[in-house]
Amino acid sequence: MKILIVEDEIALQESINSYLKVEGYNCESALTFNEGQEKICMYPYDCLLIDVNLPDGNGLDLIKLAKSQNVTAGIIVISARETIDDRITGLNFGADDYIVKPFHLSELNARIYSLLRRIHFKGEDQIVFNEIEVNATERLVMINNSPLDLTKKEYDLLLYFLSNKNRVLTKESICEYLWGDHADNAGTLDFVYTHIKNLRKKMIDKGGQNYIHTMYGVGYKFTTK
């Protein structure tokens, strides 16, 4: 799962980034309103952590931007202000949750997990699609009741497909989802094909169906059709 942290306090941003990466998230950061705006418009995310007070703008305007761009990411507001009016304002702008500084990173992690589970998997820890079962808490994948050994990228790729069933995903969107900023440095998208080929083979070897269909000249679709 991919998270964007828009926070100008460098120490806090780095702490959040380090903690969430250990928890298995793919994290990117932005120190300013303009940097956050650019990334929200360019890359797909599962969750946006947005500080209200940024040096060059108001984080609430980033929420409005995300909503105007039809961004489907969950949004958690980070703020030093604890008044009811501030909370209501953030939620009315389209945020899903609101956390006040200072906070424990474990609490933030719990809120992110709860939000992503609610958005992508209807609040369930267990994701079931035909013979595929995913335990999101333990990051465990089973096919036909047999464990599937996946790399982190393969696991993230499978969740990306499961979250976007029956939608065509371009190689570029998959690359941006898995690598974020580093996607721009890739000279070729062949590694996307490699990860998809490996994931497909592992699933089929366990007796799973071939759900990953190549849409030639466009990308890939995860579907039973």
Side-chain angles (χ1 to χ4, degrees):
M1 294 291 185
K2 187 175 173 185
I3 296 176
L4 175 63
I5 307 162
V6 186
E7 170 60 64
D8 66 313
E9 293 182 32
I10 296 177
L12 177 58
Q13 182 211 97
E14 290 178 346
S15 294
I16 295 173
N17 199 319
S18 298
Y19 186 93
L20 294 181
K21 282 183 176 178
V22 171
E23 293 297 314
Y25 293 106
N26 180 9
C27 298
E28 294 180 17
S29 301
L31 287 169
T32 65
F33 179 96
N34 287 333
E35 190 179 358
Q37 177 178 249
E38 181 180 359
K39 291 190 174 184
I40 289 171
C41 291
M42 289 182 63
Y43 303 117
Y45 297 97
D46 294 292
C47 182
L48 306 176
L49 305 179
I50 299 178
D51 186 10
V52 172
N53 299 309
L54 297 169
D56 55 341
N58 190 318
L60 296 178
D61 290 328
L62 285 180
I63 298 175
K64 287 198 283 188
L65 169 69
K67 294 301 179 181
S68 70
Q69 297 289 320
N70 295 316
V71 170
T72 58
I75 301 174
I76 298 178
V77 172
I78 299 173
S79 177
R81 303 160 78 177
E82 196 177 2
T83 69
I84 293 297
D85 287 344
D86 288 331
R87 288 174 181 265
I88 291 174
T89 299
L91 295 173
N92 284 342
F93 271 57
D96 299 283
D97 202 351
Y98 191 107
I99 190 167
V100 178
K101 301 177 185 178
F103 50 81
H104 291 288
L105 293 176
S106 57
E107 179 188 358
L108 176 62
N109 182 47
R111 288 172 181 253
I112 292 170
Y113 177 74
S114 177
L115 176 58
L116 294 179
R117 185 178 60 183
R118 185 168 72 245
I119 291 174
H120 291 301
F121 306 116
K122 300 179 181 179
E124 299 294 330
D125 288 319
Q126 200 78 7
I127 306 152
V128 179
F129 179 74
N130 295 345
E131 71 277 13
I132 304 171
E133 295 181 36
V134 180
N135 186 313
T137 303
E138 299 179 8
R139 297 175 64 87
L140 175 66
V141 180
M142 307 280 285
I143 290 188
N144 295 319
N145 297 316
S146 179
L148 186 63
D149 184 21
L150 300 177
T151 67
K152 182 182 182 302
K153 293 297 185 190
E154 290 165 356
Y155 175 84
D156 290 342
L157 180 59
L158 177 59
L159 285 192
Y160 191 43
F161 276 130
L162 287 172
S163 300
N164 293 277
K165 294 188 296 291
N166 301 314
R167 291 180 56 192
V168 176
L169 302 176
T170 66
K171 284 186 178 180
E172 290 79 10
S173 69
I174 294 171
C175 178
E176 289 170 358
Y177 181 81
L178 294 178
W179 281 275
D181 290 340
H182 301 294
D184 295 333
N185 299 323
T188 175
L189 295 177
D190 288 346
F191 54 83
V192 172
Y193 167 75
T194 299
H195 283 292
I196 289 175
K197 181 183 71 173
N198 292 341
L199 174 60
R200 181 192 283 131
K201 182 178 186 303
K202 288 182 178 181
M203 292 172 63
I204 292 174
D205 286 348
K206 287 291 185 179
Q209 297 185 50
N210 179 20
Y211 297 112
I212 306 174
H213 298 275
T214 302
M215 313 300 290
Y216 291 100
V218 182
Y220 299 91
K221 181 189 287 189
F222 193 92
T223 180
T224 55
K225 299 179 181 179

